[in-house]
Each structure stands twice: as C-alpha cells, then as structure tokens.
Amino acid sequence: MAESKDMTLATTVTFLGAAVWSDHEDREGEPLTLEDLAVKVGMTPTTISQHLRYLGIGYRSGRPGLGLVLTGINPDNRRKKTFDLTPRGRGLAAQLALILRKAT
C-alpha cells in the first residue's frame, strides 16, 4: 500500500473487506461474489468492481494494478464474479492483522 500513494480510503475499505471475506461462502456453500462484498462494505457493485480492478492485475488505460486481489468467474453463474487475495494480498492482510494485534 505504501507504493500506491493515490489509493483512496474507499479502495482501502474494499481491500479490507476482501481480506476479511475472501475465504467465506454464501448459504449455498458458494464463494462470495462482488455483489456480496458490495453489500458487506456498503458500496455499489460497480464501485467494488472498479476497486478490485485497481487492487488486482490491471486498471484502466493499461495501468498495472497492485496485485493484491484476483477476480474470477463463478462457475455456477458466469454473470457473477468471485474474489480472492493473491499471495501478496494475503501477506499484506497478515501484516495489517499483526499491527492491529500489537495496537490492542
């Protein structure tokens, strides 16, 4: 995150939401979708999609993303996207969790 000086608070909230809920499933045992994440963090699915592109592999105009999040297609409903953290994203989430534990 330190290398991304233009990361907004809303994008940070999206990353933290993805970190918290990346390993969770819905009631049917399916991975959570971008729409599920949007509800959990109080944003629109369009905003979440934009944030995850920035946090992921690539952003608009060919700008590289931060490589923290991966998105995929839900195999049961190809119109829906799922999300997960990359190893780099998991590392950042672990560092943040450690900082929070030390602060309390």
Side-chain angles (χ1 to χ4, degrees):
M1 290 174 108
E3 61 200 41
S4 177
K5 307 267 188 261
D6 61 342
M7 189 164 164
T8 65
L9 178 59
T11 305
T12 303
V13 169
T14 299
F15 171 74
L16 293 173
V20 168
W21 288 296
S22 65
D23 292 330
H24 288 72
E25 299 174 339
D26 66 12
R27 291 182 182 153
E28 289 80 37
E30 297 294 323
L32 295 181
T33 64
L34 272 60
E35 290 83 5
D36 297 326
L37 180 60
V39 169
K40 291 187 178 299
V41 298
M43 296 181 198
T44 66
T46 301
T47 300
I48 292 295
S49 180
Q50 290 172 347
H51 290 173
L52 292 180
R53 278 196 309 273
Y54 177 74
L55 293 166
I57 296 171
Y59 197 47
R60 61 184 129 142
S61 304
R63 289 176 46 196
L66 298 178
L68 301 171
V69 178
L70 291 172
T71 58
I73 304 229
N74 184 327
D76 294 328
N77 185 342
R78 300 189 57 77
R79 291 177 294 158
K80 294 189 176 193
K81 290 187 177 179
T82 59
F83 61 94
D84 198 3
L85 297 183
T86 63
R88 182 177 182 192
R90 290 192 188 285
L92 177 57
Q95 287 177 346
L96 293 171
L98 182 63
I99 290 167
L100 288 173
R101 278 195 294 273
K102 287 182 179 180
T104 56

